[in-house]
Amino acid sequence: AQSVSQHNHHVILSEAASLELGCNYSYGGTVNLFWYVQYPGQHLQLLLKYFSGDPLVKGIKGFEAEFIKSKFSFNLRKPSVQWSDTAEYFCAVNADTGFQKLVFGTGTRLLVSP
Amino acid sequence: DTGVSQDPRHKITKRGQNVTFRCDPISEHNRLYWYRQTLGQGPEFLTYFQNEAQLEKSRLLSDRFSAERPKGSFSTLEIQRTEQGDSAMYLCASSPQPGQGGHPISYEQYFGPGTRLTVT
């Protein structure tokens, strides 16, 4: 069965600090990888996604993530966070089998102080 | 551009009562998913429809849960004889068939705002 681990449950940063959120998954086959974000009071929104090709993917709002197949990882990064990045971030994976169930990690709650 | 909508947004019910939630997906999306999210956890898959056919159900979906998508458009999720453990956020998501309508092979799911259920 697929599973996703997010190592950081709570992260507190000051504005302009760099961000890296860890995500590891367990599945031996081809996967599609996602980061979703949930801003306070809002619904889940897609931040970025990886299906194939360049393992470094860029998303909205200056976020990027790197797929490292050998490490089963898909870490999220942002060089300089803003107060408006305060949100909960979820890593998700689905197996490339045609049935697109998403398996989510437990989420990382990011608080950016101004 | 209308997104996924869910109704109601909040539901408080007493233990043992039945509740029904509705999800309206993005109109051209033929795939629809239900997830459940409890505090401190990520969303967990419940069930999946392709058009009107329910193709997959999680073992989390006990016999008290039933979902339908009668005409391949909106979907309902019913919980019978609610229990306190059913308290959660119920999320609906939709996605297009990969390649459908010119969509790229993206597999992206678009989520609604959720229905927060509280069982007292």
PDB file of all heavy atoms in Angstrom, chain B residues 29-46:
ATOM      1  N   HIS B  29     -15.980  17.549 -15.631  1.00  0.00           N
ATOM      2  CA  HIS B  29     -15.186  16.493 -15.009  1.00  0.00           C
ATOM      3  C   HIS B  29     -16.017  15.221 -14.847  1.00  0.00           C
ATOM      4  O   HIS B  29     -17.084  15.250 -14.247  1.00  0.00           O
ATOM      5  CB  HIS B  29     -14.666  16.938 -13.639  1.00  0.00           C
ATOM      6  CG  HIS B  29     -13.605  17.983 -13.717  1.00  0.00           C
ATOM      7  ND1 HIS B  29     -12.976  18.475 -12.589  1.00  0.00           N
ATOM      8  CD2 HIS B  29     -13.033  18.602 -14.771  1.00  0.00           C
ATOM      9  CE1 HIS B  29     -12.078  19.370 -12.961  1.00  0.00           C
ATOM     10  NE2 HIS B  29     -12.093  19.463 -14.281  1.00  0.00           N
ATOM     11  N   ASN B  30     -15.487  14.096 -15.336  1.00  0.00           N
ATOM     12  CA  ASN B  30     -16.254  12.859 -15.196  1.00  0.00           C
ATOM     13  C   ASN B  30     -15.805  12.016 -14.006  1.00  0.00           C
ATOM     14  O   ASN B  30     -16.430  11.023 -13.680  1.00  0.00           O
ATOM     15  CB  ASN B  30     -16.189  12.048 -16.492  1.00  0.00           C
ATOM     16  CG  ASN B  30     -14.816  11.477 -16.760  1.00  0.00           C
ATOM     17  OD1 ASN B  30     -13.814  11.935 -16.223  1.00  0.00           O
ATOM     18  ND2 ASN B  30     -14.773  10.441 -17.592  1.00  0.00           N
ATOM     19  N   ARG B  31     -14.724  12.426 -13.339  1.00  0.00           N
ATOM     20  CA  ARG B  31     -14.250  11.675 -12.178  1.00  0.00           C
ATOM     21  C   ARG B  31     -14.552  12.457 -10.910  1.00  0.00           C
ATOM     22  O   ARG B  31     -14.325  13.667 -10.848  1.00  0.00           O
ATOM     23  CB  ARG B  31     -12.744  11.430 -12.283  1.00  0.00           C
ATOM     24  CG  ARG B  31     -12.384  10.551 -13.453  1.00  0.00           C
ATOM     25  CD  ARG B  31     -10.898  10.330 -13.543  1.00  0.00           C
ATOM     26  NE  ARG B  31     -10.583   9.264 -14.497  1.00  0.00           N
ATOM     27  CZ  ARG B  31      -9.417   8.665 -14.596  1.00  0.00           C
ATOM     28  NH1 ARG B  31      -8.433   9.007 -13.794  1.00  0.00           N
ATOM     29  NH2 ARG B  31      -9.228   7.714 -15.491  1.00  0.00           N
ATOM     30  N   LEU B  32     -15.045  11.757  -9.909  1.00  0.00           N
ATOM     31  CA  LEU B  32     -15.429  12.394  -8.653  1.00  0.00           C
ATOM     32  C   LEU B  32     -14.966  11.532  -7.487  1.00  0.00           C
ATOM     33  O   LEU B  32     -15.087  10.303  -7.518  1.00  0.00           O
ATOM     34  CB  LEU B  32     -16.956  12.589  -8.602  1.00  0.00           C
ATOM     35  CG  LEU B  32     -17.531  13.395  -7.435  1.00  0.00           C
ATOM     36  CD1 LEU B  32     -18.766  14.172  -7.871  1.00  0.00           C
ATOM     37  CD2 LEU B  32     -17.837  12.516  -6.243  1.00  0.00           C
ATOM     38  N   TYR B  33     -14.439  12.190  -6.476  1.00  0.00           N
ATOM     39  CA  TYR B  33     -13.847  11.504  -5.329  1.00  0.00           C
ATOM     40  C   TYR B  33     -14.422  12.074  -4.042  1.00  0.00           C
ATOM     41  O   TYR B  33     -14.677  13.278  -3.938  1.00  0.00           O
ATOM     42  CB  TYR B  33     -12.324  11.733  -5.284  1.00  0.00           C
ATOM     43  CG  TYR B  33     -11.597  11.439  -6.571  1.00  0.00           C
ATOM     44  CD1 TYR B  33     -11.596  12.358  -7.614  1.00  0.00           C
ATOM     45  CD2 TYR B  33     -10.885  10.249  -6.740  1.00  0.00           C
ATOM     46  CE1 TYR B  33     -10.918  12.097  -8.798  1.00  0.00           C
ATOM     47  CE2 TYR B  33     -10.208   9.992  -7.916  1.00  0.00           C
ATOM     48  CZ  TYR B  33     -10.233  10.919  -8.937  1.00  0.00           C
ATOM     49  OH  TYR B  33      -9.559  10.653 -10.107  1.00  0.00           O
ATOM     50  N   TRP B  34     -14.547  11.213  -3.053  1.00  0.00           N
ATOM     51  CA  TRP B  34     -14.862  11.640  -1.686  1.00  0.00           C
ATOM     52  C   TRP B  34     -13.684  11.271  -0.785  1.00  0.00           C
ATOM     53  O   TRP B  34     -13.141  10.164  -0.869  1.00  0.00           O
ATOM     54  CB  TRP B  34     -16.124  10.973  -1.164  1.00  0.00           C
ATOM     55  CG  TRP B  34     -17.406  11.505  -1.731  1.00  0.00           C
ATOM     56  CD1 TRP B  34     -18.138  10.991  -2.761  1.00  0.00           C
ATOM     57  CD2 TRP B  34     -18.132  12.645  -1.268  1.00  0.00           C
ATOM     58  NE1 TRP B  34     -19.258  11.738  -2.980  1.00  0.00           N
ATOM     59  CE2 TRP B  34     -19.286  12.762  -2.074  1.00  0.00           C
ATOM     60  CE3 TRP B  34     -17.925  13.582  -0.255  1.00  0.00           C
ATOM     61  CZ2 TRP B  34     -20.231  13.783  -1.901  1.00  0.00           C
ATOM     62  CZ3 TRP B  34     -18.859  14.590  -0.077  1.00  0.00           C
ATOM     63  CH2 TRP B  34     -20.003  14.686  -0.898  1.00  0.00           C
ATOM     64  N   TYR B  35     -13.331  12.218   0.079  1.00  0.00           N
ATOM     65  CA  TYR B  35     -12.289  12.024   1.074  1.00  0.00           C
ATOM     66  C   TYR B  35     -12.836  12.455   2.435  1.00  0.00           C
ATOM     67  O   TYR B  35     -13.764  13.254   2.526  1.00  0.00           O
ATOM     68  CB  TYR B  35     -11.043  12.883   0.772  1.00  0.00           C
ATOM     69  CG  TYR B  35     -10.286  12.504  -0.483  1.00  0.00           C
ATOM     70  CD1 TYR B  35     -10.679  12.982  -1.736  1.00  0.00           C
ATOM     71  CD2 TYR B  35      -9.145  11.701  -0.418  1.00  0.00           C
ATOM     72  CE1 TYR B  35      -9.973  12.649  -2.883  1.00  0.00           C
ATOM     73  CE2 TYR B  35      -8.428  11.370  -1.553  1.00  0.00           C
ATOM     74  CZ  TYR B  35      -8.849  11.850  -2.777  1.00  0.00           C
ATOM     75  OH  TYR B  35      -8.142  11.530  -3.914  1.00  0.00           O
ATOM     76  N   ARG B  36     -12.190  11.972   3.474  1.00  0.00           N
ATOM     77  CA  ARG B  36     -12.532  12.407   4.829  1.00  0.00           C
ATOM     78  C   ARG B  36     -11.252  12.891   5.509  1.00  0.00           C
ATOM     79  O   ARG B  36     -10.189  12.256   5.380  1.00  0.00           O
ATOM     80  CB  ARG B  36     -13.123  11.245   5.635  1.00  0.00           C
ATOM     81  CG  ARG B  36     -13.527  11.615   7.048  1.00  0.00           C
ATOM     82  CD  ARG B  36     -14.299  10.488   7.703  1.00  0.00           C
ATOM     83  NE  ARG B  36     -13.452   9.330   7.975  1.00  0.00           N
ATOM     84  CZ  ARG B  36     -13.918   8.188   8.450  1.00  0.00           C
ATOM     85  NH1 ARG B  36     -15.213   8.036   8.683  1.00  0.00           N
ATOM     86  NH2 ARG B  36     -13.098   7.185   8.699  1.00  0.00           N
ATOM     87  N   GLN B  37     -11.373  14.005   6.218  1.00  0.00           N
ATOM     88  CA  GLN B  37     -10.209  14.564   6.906  1.00  0.00           C
ATOM     89  C   GLN B  37     -10.550  14.823   8.363  1.00  0.00           C
ATOM     90  O   GLN B  37     -11.498  15.539   8.669  1.00  0.00           O
ATOM     91  CB  GLN B  37      -9.761  15.871   6.238  1.00  0.00           C
ATOM     92  CG  GLN B  37      -8.486  16.445   6.822  1.00  0.00           C
ATOM     93  CD  GLN B  37      -8.032  17.689   6.089  1.00  0.00           C
ATOM     94  OE1 GLN B  37      -8.807  18.307   5.368  1.00  0.00           O
ATOM     95  NE2 GLN B  37      -6.774  18.048   6.256  1.00  0.00           N
ATOM     96  N   THR B  38      -9.787  14.238   9.255  1.00  0.00           N
ATOM     97  CA  THR B  38      -9.944  14.492  10.688  1.00  0.00           C
ATOM     98  C   THR B  38      -8.801  15.386  11.155  1.00  0.00           C
ATOM     99  O   THR B  38      -7.791  15.552  10.458  1.00  0.00           O
ATOM    100  CB  THR B  38      -9.963  13.187  11.476  1.00  0.00           C
ATOM    101  OG1 THR B  38      -8.793  12.424  11.142  1.00  0.00           O
ATOM    102  CG2 THR B  38     -11.197  12.371  11.146  1.00  0.00           C
ATOM    103  N   LEU B  39      -8.967  15.922  12.334  1.00  0.00           N
ATOM    104  CA  LEU B  39      -8.022  16.913  12.855  1.00  0.00           C
ATOM    105  C   LEU B  39      -6.611  16.346  12.928  1.00  0.00           C
ATOM    106  O   LEU B  39      -6.390  15.256  13.452  1.00  0.00           O
ATOM    107  CB  LEU B  39      -8.470  17.352  14.250  1.00  0.00           C
ATOM    108  CG  LEU B  39      -7.958  18.702  14.732  1.00  0.00           C
ATOM    109  CD1 LEU B  39      -8.418  19.813  13.800  1.00  0.00           C
ATOM    110  CD2 LEU B  39      -8.429  18.968  16.162  1.00  0.00           C
ATOM    111  N   GLY B  40      -5.680  17.077  12.364  1.00  0.00           N
ATOM    112  CA  GLY B  40      -4.285  16.655  12.428  1.00  0.00           C
ATOM    113  C   GLY B  40      -3.891  15.607  11.417  1.00  0.00           C
ATOM    114  O   GLY B  40      -2.766  15.107  11.448  1.00  0.00           O
ATOM    115  N   GLN B  41      -4.796  15.285  10.514  1.00  0.00           N
ATOM    116  CA  GLN B  41      -4.513  14.266   9.496  1.00  0.00           C
ATOM    117  C   GLN B  41      -4.708  14.838   8.107  1.00  0.00           C
ATOM    118  O   GLN B  41      -5.412  15.831   7.918  1.00  0.00           O
ATOM    119  CB  GLN B  41      -5.437  13.060   9.672  1.00  0.00           C
ATOM    120  CG  GLN B  41      -5.313  12.367  11.014  1.00  0.00           C
ATOM    121  CD  GLN B  41      -3.940  11.756  11.224  1.00  0.00           C
ATOM    122  OE1 GLN B  41      -3.357  11.158  10.316  1.00  0.00           O
ATOM    123  NE2 GLN B  41      -3.394  11.913  12.412  1.00  0.00           N
ATOM    124  N   GLY B  42      -4.116  14.188   7.141  1.00  0.00           N
ATOM    125  CA  GLY B  42      -4.401  14.543   5.762  1.00  0.00           C
ATOM    126  C   GLY B  42      -5.686  13.867   5.308  1.00  0.00           C
ATOM    127  O   GLY B  42      -6.197  12.961   5.969  1.00  0.00           O
ATOM    128  N   PRO B  43      -6.230  14.301   4.206  1.00  0.00           N
ATOM    129  CA  PRO B  43      -7.443  13.660   3.683  1.00  0.00           C
ATOM    130  C   PRO B  43      -7.213  12.180   3.412  1.00  0.00           C
ATOM    131  O   PRO B  43      -6.137  11.784   2.958  1.00  0.00           O
ATOM    132  CB  PRO B  43      -7.707  14.427   2.380  1.00  0.00           C
ATOM    133  CG  PRO B  43      -7.030  15.745   2.556  1.00  0.00           C
ATOM    134  CD  PRO B  43      -5.818  15.451   3.374  1.00  0.00           C
ATOM    135  N   GLU B  44      -8.247  11.375   3.703  1.00  0.00           N
ATOM    136  CA  GLU B  44      -8.193   9.941   3.441  1.00  0.00           C
ATOM    137  C   GLU B  44      -9.273   9.597   2.418  1.00  0.00           C
ATOM    138  O   GLU B  44     -10.428  10.001   2.564  1.00  0.00           O
ATOM    139  CB  GLU B  44      -8.433   9.145   4.716  1.00  0.00           C
ATOM    140  CG  GLU B  44      -7.367   9.330   5.774  1.00  0.00           C
ATOM    141  CD  GLU B  44      -7.744   8.588   7.039  1.00  0.00           C
ATOM    142  OE1 GLU B  44      -8.692   9.023   7.716  1.00  0.00           O
ATOM    143  OE2 GLU B  44      -7.098   7.568   7.349  1.00  0.00           O
ATOM    144  N   PHE B  45      -8.898   8.813   1.446  1.00  0.00           N
ATOM    145  CA  PHE B  45      -9.793   8.429   0.360  1.00  0.00           C
ATOM    146  C   PHE B  45     -10.957   7.595   0.878  1.00  0.00           C
ATOM    147  O   PHE B  45     -10.772   6.682   1.686  1.00  0.00           O
ATOM    148  CB  PHE B  45      -9.003   7.639  -0.681  1.00  0.00           C
ATOM    149  CG  PHE B  45      -9.840   6.958  -1.709  1.00  0.00           C
ATOM    150  CD1 PHE B  45     -10.380   7.690  -2.760  1.00  0.00           C
ATOM    151  CD2 PHE B  45     -10.102   5.606  -1.636  1.00  0.00           C
ATOM    152  CE1 PHE B  45     -11.151   7.070  -3.722  1.00  0.00           C
ATOM    153  CE2 PHE B  45     -10.878   4.974  -2.585  1.00  0.00           C
ATOM    154  CZ  PHE B  45     -11.403   5.706  -3.636  1.00  0.00           C
ATOM    155  N   LEU B  46     -12.152   7.906   0.386  1.00  0.00           N
ATOM    156  CA  LEU B  46     -13.339   7.114   0.718  1.00  0.00           C
ATOM    157  C   LEU B  46     -13.855   6.339  -0.490  1.00  0.00           C
ATOM    158  O   LEU B  46     -14.052   5.139  -0.428  1.00  0.00           O
ATOM    159  CB  LEU B  46     -14.460   8.009   1.257  1.00  0.00           C
ATOM    160  CG  LEU B  46     -14.237   8.655   2.618  1.00  0.00           C
ATOM    161  CD1 LEU B  46     -15.428   9.534   2.973  1.00  0.00           C
ATOM    162  CD2 LEU B  46     -13.996   7.603   3.684  1.00  0.00           C
TER     163      LEU B  46
END
